[in-house]
Amino acid sequence: MMILITGGSKCGKSGFAESLLQAHTGPKIYLATMQPYGAEADIAISRHRKQREGKGFQTLEQYTDLHTIELPAHSAVLLECIGNLTANELFREKPADDCVSHIIRGLRHLHDTSDLFVAVTNQVGSDGIAYATGTALYIAAIGAVNQSAARLADQVYECVYGIPVLCKGGKPC
Amino acid sequence: MILITGGAYQGKTEYVRRQFPDIPITDGAACLFDEAATAKCINQYHVLIQRLHAAGSDPVAWTEQLCAENPECIILLDEIGCGIIPLERDERIRRELTGICGCIIAKHSDAVIRLVCGVPNAIKGDLL
């Protein structure tokens, strides 16, 4: 079972994603892809840590190559987030020839080896601004990854100011 | 409380005028802060957030107080978070504050209506 959650900045994606794993009785893995660079990243990371405190998550930090992760049996995984992951893969020292396929391979691996896979991503293509090459490549890459992830997912939600709007699949049990 | 959201120019104000022809609309982009605190309906709430922040007030605390003290208010708030993280620090903060305030208002709202191309959709509660 895979659920993809998208939405804009500070729209309540993480809180909603965490709630989807609440009932899971097996291991709960929080897969963090944000690299702790700079004061603002530190603030974001500690805010997220505080939010999931006491919810029974093991944190696993992995910034690239998600296909190499070995999950415990019957895990539920919360990946946070595809936006950071895409930037990490695209702008790493030696990026894969086809970054998008490389990322999808990792997502497919998590989908195949977990009981429940919840992936958080971002909507970044709606500000109507023409960006320079690097950023434009990033927007295109995350758009392609999101489309593939949504095809792979059983359910897709878009969060709007904290409200999950179902885009694909039935309501969760 | 009712939240009306959606991108810019999606027909939010028209929708409110149609549904509530007798309710005066206070312009969050220009009104006094005290005027907004007691308004029946606040337009451009994302600009009000920006103005509060620029004036040194905390928009999150201000929004929480509004929800507590003016719970019948109708709020029009643009969706602004679906882009690239802005380069300017102040813009980043403004964007995050807007998201946080929007979640607070949505939580307190009986109905959240999102407009796309003028078409209203109730994403919380029922259509008005």
Side-chain angles (χ1 to χ4, degrees), chain A residues 136-157:
Chain A
L137 277 175
Y138 172 72
I139 296 170
I142 192 171
V145 170
N146 282 347
Q147 290 180 49
S148 294
R151 277 195 290 275
L152 196 61
D154 302 285
Q155 288 176 351
V156 180
Y157 288 91

Side-chain angles (χ1 to χ4, degrees), chain A residues 7-12 40 47 122-127 131 135 138-139 158-165, chain B residues 3 5 77-84 89 92 95-100 102-103 106-107 112 114 123-124:
Chain A
S9 164
K10 298 288 170 288
C11 68
E40 285 181 43
R47 197 175 55 82
N122 275 94
Q123 286 306 110
V124 301
S126 300
D127 57 15
Y131 288 96
T135 307
Y138 172 72
I139 296 170
E158 181 190 10
C159 275
V160 180
Y161 291 133
I163 297 166
V165 180
Chain B
L3 173 62
T5 190
L77 169 65
D78 280 17
E79 260 186 276
I80 65 155
C82 295
I84 289 292
R89 184 170 179 272
R92 286 199 294 277
R95 183 168 168 271
E96 297 204 346
L97 287 171
T98 307
I100 294 165
C103 288
K107 200 173 159 188
V112 178
R114 186 193 204 193
I123 60 172
K124 180 181 178 182

Side-chain angles (χ1 to χ4, degrees), chain A residues 92-129:
Chain A
R92 69 193 280 187
E93 212 166 300
K94 284 183 185 160
D97 290 337
D98 184 347
C99 265
V100 171
S101 303
H102 185 76
I103 294 165
I104 297 303
R105 184 182 170 199
L107 300 183
R108 193 176 289 279
H109 168 73
L110 296 171
H111 168 275
D112 292 346
T113 57
S114 66
D115 281 9
L116 172 63
F117 175 30
V118 179
V120 173
T121 187
N122 275 94
Q123 286 306 110
V124 301
S126 300
D127 57 15
I129 299 171

Side-chain angles (χ1 to χ4, degrees), chain B residues 39-55:
Chain B
K40 288 193 183 316
C41 175
I42 308 170
N43 202 354
Q44 305 269 66
Y45 197 86
H46 55 290
V47 183
L48 182 66
I49 291 169
Q50 185 177 20
R51 292 175 60 218
L52 284 162
H53 177 58

Side-chain angles (χ1 to χ4, degrees), chain B residues 27-68:
Chain B
D27 183 4
C31 69
L32 298 170
F33 297 148
D34 285 350
E35 213 181 312
T38 56
K40 288 193 183 316
C41 175
I42 308 170
N43 202 354
Q44 305 269 66
Y45 197 86
H46 55 290
V47 183
L48 182 66
I49 291 169
Q50 185 177 20
R51 292 175 60 218
L52 284 162
H53 177 58
S57 295
D58 175 4
V60 175
W62 200 94
T63 299
E64 276 167 350
Q65 195 173 342
L66 179 82
C67 293

